[in-house]
């Protein structure tokens, strides 16, 4: 196996595994939304607030926690964050009302932002020739965790109830914390200013880095489409096909095809034009939503669309991150914060819009929403992006 300067493959794959397991916490709820709505006697629109709160919490964690990676030891962040994460998962499992589940979900999202420490860490410890490869491997783990989470939660929810999933997640996070405490290398911070100055520097980066702004907008729009799909898929399966959360969750296995391509995309981004990768990825996203639009009663169409939407989203995401991590070497955590906050705010917007689209226009409305977001991603890049990368 190839060994990179300062970053062994053992540590790299540990970060990939950890990114996947932590990111999974954000998406366990999606196949369970119908079961939760029945449990609390609320509408599908109301229960979508569970997914929304998780994404908003993740954005808050990115904004207020991840910049500390440039200022505080990663081991210290790890210890405090995992304590809060374990408490939040237990609170969700025992939640007696939808409101308390929404609050717990916000803190689950906030404390599950740690994978975004691993991505800049991989970029920092890798040599420039292998940076795309390292980002691709960590992102592969992260996306496999996201997609696999739906399979696991769909099965566990159907067999044992939705609350059990949160208890299983608690046990997995406890085991992961022990592993990271032993194996993850300590990374000393490079920023010596105050936390206030650290946060102000985020605004400075956003104002002075056009490639960062553009990458964030591309990422946010495309992720809004992906969240629109996964938030409403469970409703489509229930209404049009009569399938429960178990079958819905298995679509995550199909999407893993796109995740496995992430490491390949990472290697390509070290050698190919980033502009070409961005345009190709955007076209794949447009194709995926075109397929979805005509597949409201076709499982085969949904399967094809899942493969395309995850492949397009992941390819675009890796290209964006390779672009932003090639700049501001001493501020990679803050650069990643700016990008990922906008990225997940886009996801939250997609969740809200998808709930409204489903409520009023069902799957056709969701598909037109996703198609519009994908077209906007491509057009914004074509207008503003060619000179930036």
């Amino acid at each position: 196996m190839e060994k990179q300067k300062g970053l062994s493959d053992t540590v790299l794959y540990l970060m990939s595994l950890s990114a996947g397991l932590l990111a999974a916490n954000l998406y366990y709820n999606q196949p369970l939304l119908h079961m939760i709505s029945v449990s609390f006697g609320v509408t599908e629109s109301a229960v979508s607030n569970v997914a929304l709160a998780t994404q908003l919490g993740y954005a808050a964690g990115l904004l207020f926690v991840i910049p500390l990676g440039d200022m505080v030891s990663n081991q210290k962040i790890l210890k405090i964050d995992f304590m809060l994460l374990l408490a939040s998962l237990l609170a969700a499992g025992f939640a007696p009302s939808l409101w308390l589940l929404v609050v717990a979900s916000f803190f689950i999202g906030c404390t599950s932002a740690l994978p975004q420490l691993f991505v800049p860490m991989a970029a920092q410890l890798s040599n420039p020739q292998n940076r795309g490869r390292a980002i691709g491997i960590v992102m592969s783990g992260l996306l496999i965790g996201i997609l696999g989470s739906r399979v696991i939660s769909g099965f566990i929810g159907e067999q044992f109830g939705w609350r059990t999933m949160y208890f299983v997640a608690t046990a997995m996070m406890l085991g992961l914390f022990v592993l990271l405490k032993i194996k993850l290398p300590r990374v000393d911070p490079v920023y010596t200013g105050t936390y206030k100055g650290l946060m102000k520097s985020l605004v400075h980066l956003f104002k002075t880095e056009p490639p960062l702004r553009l990458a964030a907008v591309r990422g946010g729009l495309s992720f809004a489409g992906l969240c629109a799909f996964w938030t409403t898929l469970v409703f489509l399966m229930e209404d049009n096909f009569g399938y429960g959360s178990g079958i819905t969750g298995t679509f995550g296995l199909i999407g893993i095809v796109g995740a496995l391509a992430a490491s390949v995309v990472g290697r390509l981004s070290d050698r190919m034009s980033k502009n070409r990768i961005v345009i190709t990825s955007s076209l794949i996203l447009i194709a995926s939503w075109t397929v979805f639009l005509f597949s409201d009663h076709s499982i085969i169409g949904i399967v094809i669309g899942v493969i395309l939407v995850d492949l397009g989203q992941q390819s675009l995401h890796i290209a964006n991150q390779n672009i932003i991590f090639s700049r501001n070497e001493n501020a990679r955590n803050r650069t990643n914060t700016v990008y990922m906050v906008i990225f997940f705010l886009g996801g939250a917007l997609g969740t809200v819009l998808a709930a409204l689209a489903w409520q009023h226009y069902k799957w056709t409305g969701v598909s037109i929403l996703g198609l519009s977001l994908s077209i906007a991603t491509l057009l914004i890049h074509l207008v503003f992006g060619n000179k930036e990368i």
Side-chain angles (χ1 to χ4, degrees):
M1 297 286 287
E2 180 181 1
K3 210 170 195 178
Q4 301 177 66
K5 180 181 68 175
L7 180 62
S8 69
D9 281 315
T10 299
V11 173
L12 179 59
Y13 285 106
L14 172 61
M15 289 193 289
S16 180
L17 171 67
S18 302
L21 290 175
L22 282 160
N25 294 320
L26 304 171
Y27 301 96
Y28 288 135
N29 58 57
Q30 289 184 354
L32 305 175
L33 292 177
H34 181 74
M35 299 175 67
I36 295 171
S37 70
V38 172
S39 176
F40 290 123
V42 297
T43 65
E44 293 171 340
S45 179
V47 81
S48 69
N49 288 321
V50 174
L52 173 61
T54 309
Q55 290 158 2
L56 290 176
Y58 193 79
L62 289 168
L63 180 59
F64 297 109
V65 177
I66 297 307
L68 289 171
D70 288 333
M71 184 177 178
V72 179
S73 163
N74 61 332
Q75 290 288 351
K76 185 174 182 180
I77 295 175
L78 196 75
K79 180 179 178 180
I80 296 173
D81 192 273
F82 264 89
M83 289 175 60
L84 295 173
L85 173 58
L86 292 170
S88 301
L89 287 168
L90 286 174
F94 287 112
S97 68
L98 179 64
W99 166 244
L100 290 176
L101 178 59
V102 168
V103 172
S105 296
F106 177 87
F107 286 102
I108 289 171
C110 187
T111 52
S112 293
L114 282 180
Q116 299 309 321
L117 285 177
F118 300 143
V119 178
M121 187 190 304
Q124 177 182 344
L125 296 178
S126 302
N127 58 53
Q129 294 75 22
N130 289 318
R131 184 174 294 136
R133 170 186 180 264
I135 293 172
I137 288 174
V138 175
M139 291 306 303
S140 288
L142 190 150
L143 187 58
I144 289 171
I146 291 173
L147 298 172
S149 67
R150 298 184 176 100
V151 181
I152 294 170
S153 66
F155 174 78
I156 290 179
E158 197 165 78
Q159 298 299 319
F160 306 104
W162 64 267
R163 295 181 186 275
T164 304
M165 186 61 248
Y166 287 103
F167 300 138
V168 171
T170 303
M172 289 194 293
M173 289 302 99
L174 183 59
L176 180 62
F177 171 68
V178 173
L179 182 62
L180 287 173
K181 190 70 176 174
I182 296 171
K183 296 292 186 180
L184 190 68
R186 179 186 177 92
V187 176
D188 293 320
V190 295
Y191 180 82
T192 57
T194 64
Y195 182 73
K196 182 178 180 181
L198 188 77
M199 298 306 293
K200 283 185 176 180
S201 70
L202 298 176
V203 178
H204 176 75
L205 285 169
F206 181 79
K207 287 182 176 180
T208 60
E209 291 288 336
L212 173 59
R213 290 198 302 270
L214 183 62
V217 171
R218 284 194 304 258
L221 287 172
S222 61
F223 191 57
L226 189 67
C227 288
F229 169 74
W230 284 110
T231 300
T232 54
L233 178 63
V234 63
F235 304 141
L236 175 70
M237 291 293 107
E238 291 279 354
D239 286 10
N240 289 17
F241 299 97
Y243 294 146
S245 63
I247 297 296
T248 303
T250 59
F251 278 91
L253 290 174
I254 300 166
I256 287 176
V257 172
L260 294 175
S263 59
V264 176
V265 174
R267 290 187 180 92
L268 288 175
S269 68
D270 288 327
R271 299 188 295 271
M272 282 182 59
S273 161
K274 308 297 186 298
N275 182 60
R276 181 180 298 179
I277 294 177
V278 169
I279 291 175
T280 302
S281 302
S282 300
L283 290 173
I284 292 172
L285 288 173
I286 291 172
S288 72
W289 282 105
T290 302
V291 172
F292 283 142
L293 181 60
F294 298 100
S295 302
D296 55 336
H297 288 89
S298 171
I299 288 293
I300 294 176
I302 297 296
V303 168
I304 293 171
V306 167
I307 294 173
L308 291 175
V309 77
D310 282 310
L311 176 59
Q313 169 62 36
Q314 186 69 350
S315 300
L316 181 60
H317 186 46
I318 290 174
N320 284 338
Q321 290 195 307
N322 207 356
I323 292 165
I324 66 174
F325 289 144
S326 65
R327 310 166 65 89
N328 300 302
E329 294 185 0
N330 292 326
R332 285 199 173 108
N333 285 290
R334 282 167 285 166
T335 298
N336 195 42
T337 293
V338 174
Y339 173 77
M340 291 303 301
V341 165
I342 296 173
F343 184 86
F344 270 88
L345 285 175
L349 175 65
T351 298
V352 172
L353 294 178
L356 293 172
W358 176 265
Q359 185 174 358
H360 295 289
Y361 304 105
K362 299 300 181 180
W363 187 248
T364 298
V366 174
S367 298
I368 292 175
L369 169 64
L371 183 60
S372 301
L373 291 167
S374 300
I375 292 172
T377 302
L378 178 61
L379 291 178
I380 287 173
H381 174 73
L382 291 176
V383 173
F384 300 104
N386 286 319
K387 295 180 181 179
E388 302 293 347
I389 56 177

